[in-house]
Amino acid sequence: MLYRKYRPQTFNEVVGQQHVVQTLRGALTSGRVSHAYLFCGPRGTGKTTLARLLAKSLNCEKRTKEGDCDDSCGACLAVNNNNSLDLIEIDAASNRGIDEIRNLKESALVAAPGGKYKIFIIDEVHMLTKDAFNALLKILEEPPAHVVFVLATTEPHKMLPTVLSRVQRFDFKRLTPKEIDGKLKGMLKLEGIVVDPEGIMAIAMSSDGALRDAEVSLSKVIASHDWKTQISVDDVYNSLGLIPLNYYPEFLGYLATGNKSLALDFVNKAYSSGVDVGQFASGFVEYLRRILMHTINPSVLVSVGEELLDQDLKLVSTYSQALTQQQLIRMMNVFVSAKEGIKSSPIPQLPLELAVLEILG
Ligand SMILES: Nc1ncnc2c1ncn2[C@@H]1O[C@H](COP(=O)(O)OP(=O)(O)O)[C@@H](O)[C@H]1O
Ligand SMILES: [Mg+2]
Ligand SMILES: [Zn+2]
């Protein structure tokens, strides 16, 4: 799996999350590392990765002055090989009870050999039972000097305020399609595999900001084409069941020019080629939303890394007369209803056809 092979081994390799990287570097170089961190955020965005990097840097025998680990001393290699005695990872989803936390406490009280830090990573910490949580809280109240806790969760709203007040919290962000695209391209280069750039971007855009999901998708594509040296964009779409990126602008073009028959034809061709109509409806609404945001203020999209692709920019300027804000809002409402209708429709593509007719009158 690519995502294991390409887990960042130093801070430099981390994509995005620069607010976290910089603060951790600062803490390491100034010697002011907290005893407890809380890493919150969506899955696959680097929480475990950064927790492990913090552990490596803390105990590295040759830490750089920027706070990076050397990734080659005994302590670093032990972490890389998953046999470090100073890094303890607990999955709270499967170890939820008070006994686990009692064991953890006992282990925390024993100093790490060689004056090193003991780092405990507790993943999905919101899953702990109430008793276990309270026991953890007790430890966090008076943590031993050589211990650093990294609590990770995808659901920070489930954390008690008593815990929140004792940790330094970092909120991990979804990665932008551009950031994901960049990392996938880097990996492919190292693997010596050529994938059509549109296919790579399609993967990046379909993974909802989770780099791991994108890497898993890419692994799947590669695994199902391992006799090929060049993977085409259709290979990508077919093996992942993705809706091609050019479907949305094509469809919107028919709506913008009022071409009823081509729009209906498109719906039926897409359906018979195996496109999931529900997925298409939501994808199209999401697409319209981005166009709308662009017409209001392009910098909104740029700031979250969702700027339009060249093909979309061209479309917006070609059809600027037809794609007014009002019209876009109307289309979105119609397709949101169509998406709802699909669930109960006896003919899957019918709600999309009705949506076309409603918009084009
Ligand atoms: N910010 C990131 N920079 C580089 N790679 C990342 C990043 N986030 C996730 N990854 C990739 O995804 C994999 C899983 O990341 P992980 O840190 O376990 O995510 P999380 O703990 O947030 O679910 C990593 O091995 C790495 O390949
Ligand atoms: Mg994790
Ligand atoms: Zn080292």
Side-chain angles (χ1 to χ4, degrees), residues 31-48:
R32 278 198 287 270
V33 172
S34 293
H35 285 296
Y37 291 95
L38 179 64
F39 288 2
C40 315
R43 63 168 203 282
T45 54
K47 299 182 298 299
T48 303

Side-chain angles (χ1 to χ4, degrees), residues 58-59 61 75 83-88 107-119 146:
L58 270 172
N59 282 341
E61 291 150 21
N83 57 18
S84 166
L85 300 176
D86 310 326
L87 174 60
I88 298 109
S107 161
L109 290 173
V110 180
K116 291 184 184 166
Y117 281 94
K118 246 187 189 175
I119 300 99
H146 60 275

Side-chain angles (χ1 to χ4, degrees), residues 7 43-44 46-49 123-124 152 212:
R7 191 192 274 279
R43 63 168 203 282
K47 299 182 298 299
T48 303
T49 300
D123 223 344
E124 297 303 348
R212 178 178 39 221

